[in-house]
Amino acid sequence: NAGVMQNPRHLVRRRGQEARLRCSPMKGHSHVYWYRQLPEEGLKFMVYLQKENIIDESGMPKERFSAEFPKEGPSILRIQQVVRGDSAAYFCASSPPRDGNTIYFGEGSWLTVV
Amino acid sequence: KQEVTQIPAALSVPEGENLVLNCSFTDSAIYNLQWFRQDPGKGLTSLLLIQSSQREQTSGRLNASLDKSSGRSTLYIAASQPGDSATYLCAVTTGTASKLTFGTGTRLQVML
């Protein structure tokens, strides 16, 4: 049973480009969460999704950021027109239905904006 | 707004020493508290989960306690080993969804 898979692990983008980060949850997990870890800061919640639904996006920046978890395929965190301040590690986590205590994290995607 | 604080920010100890990491949170209405380990360039590994109704959890050389009324948790590591070197993160859940509020972590180095 593969863990939470994130790709790419490392991504370099120039300012103004788009970044797409993918997350495949563990098998049987229908809940996906995205967290961001800025340099020298703790992890911050961004968004919580279930299949085809955004449940809680209270941690998402108002502009340029969006997330989806389609019926088929991985969850995508999309950052448009990236700026240097978007450079961070983005972690995805998943949990099974009806068991929010059991959460597994992926190894993260490190975004560097140059 | 829930805030989680961890002290110390960094800790360096000789191998074999017992140590305590501290975590405090401002809103005692938590659902649970978890301790995670993060290795450089890696994701998070859950170490211990304490439900709000519990006082402590143990796993091997690790023991975590929770005092919800005072907003504190401790992670006790017995007989530390170099392989324990990592960043330890405390996180609380407020509500039923797995929306975690993290502390900034304690970076532990265990020296030979």
Side-chain angles (χ1 to χ4, degrees):
Chain A
N1 187 10
V4 179
M5 305 300 292
Q6 291 189 245
N7 69 83
R9 293 293 317 281
H10 298 275
L11 182 64
V12 179
R13 285 287 178 264
R14 297 186 184 279
R15 281 178 294 171
Q17 290 185 318
E18 178 179 290
R20 283 189 182 225
L21 309 178
R22 294 174 206 75
C23 169
S24 296
M26 286 186 72
K27 188 176 180 181
H29 288 194
S30 55
H31 299 194
V32 165
Y33 314 83
W34 285 94
Y35 287 81
R36 177 167 67 173
Q37 187 173 37
L38 293 166
E40 304 304 320
E41 293 189 22
L43 280 86
K44 303 286 187 201
F45 169 81
M46 299 182 75
V47 63
Y48 163 38
L49 310 104
Q50 295 178 18
K51 285 285 187 181
E52 300 184 280
N53 285 303
I54 297 175
I55 307 302
D56 183 348
E57 58 180 346
S58 58
M60 288 280 270
K62 297 292 181 225
E63 298 177 345
R64 302 186 298 108
F65 284 71
S66 63
E68 63 176 4
F69 188 18
K71 187 177 180 181
E72 301 291 337
S75 175
I76 307 284
L77 179 67
R78 181 183 179 203
I79 311 171
Q80 296 177 290
Q81 299 174 329
V82 295
V83 301
R84 288 222 171 106
D86 297 333
S87 296
Y90 292 83
F91 289 94
C92 173
S94 72
S95 65
R98 296 178 298 281
D99 185 6
N101 285 332
T102 304
I103 186 166
Y104 293 89
F105 279 82
E107 297 208 324
S109 290
W110 268 256
L111 171 65
T112 302
V113 180
V114 297
Chain B
K1 179 188 171 188
Q2 179 73 271
E3 292 183 4
V4 181
T5 304
Q6 291 186 247
I7 53 172
L11 183 62
S12 186
V13 300
E15 183 180 12
E17 191 160 300
N18 302 325
L19 56 101
V20 174
L21 308 181
N22 297 290
C23 172
S24 61
F25 46 94
T26 54
D27 184 353
S28 62
I30 64 169
Y31 187 65
N32 59 43
L33 181 145
Q34 294 191 62
W35 283 93
F36 291 88
R37 169 184 172 139
Q38 185 178 25
D39 292 283
K42 298 287 188 180
L44 281 69
T45 301
S46 180
L47 298 173
L48 289 164
L49 167 70
I50 310 177
Q51 300 285 5
S52 62
S53 58
Q54 297 174 323
R55 297 283 293 184
E56 67 176 343
Q57 283 287 338
T58 298
S59 176
R61 294 182 294 109
L62 306 179
N63 175 276
S65 67
L66 173 63
D67 184 343
K68 206 172 77 157
S69 60
S70 67
R72 293 182 183 182
S73 175
T74 61
L75 178 66
Y76 175 82
I77 303 177
S80 56
Q81 302 171 358
D84 294 331
S85 298
T87 296
Y88 290 81
L89 298 167
C90 167
V92 298
T93 302
T94 307
T96 55
S98 289
K99 181 179 173 180
L100 300 165
T101 301
F102 283 88
T104 51
T106 294
R107 190 165 58 250
L108 172 66
Q109 183 176 11
V110 181
M111 301 171 294
L112 286 167

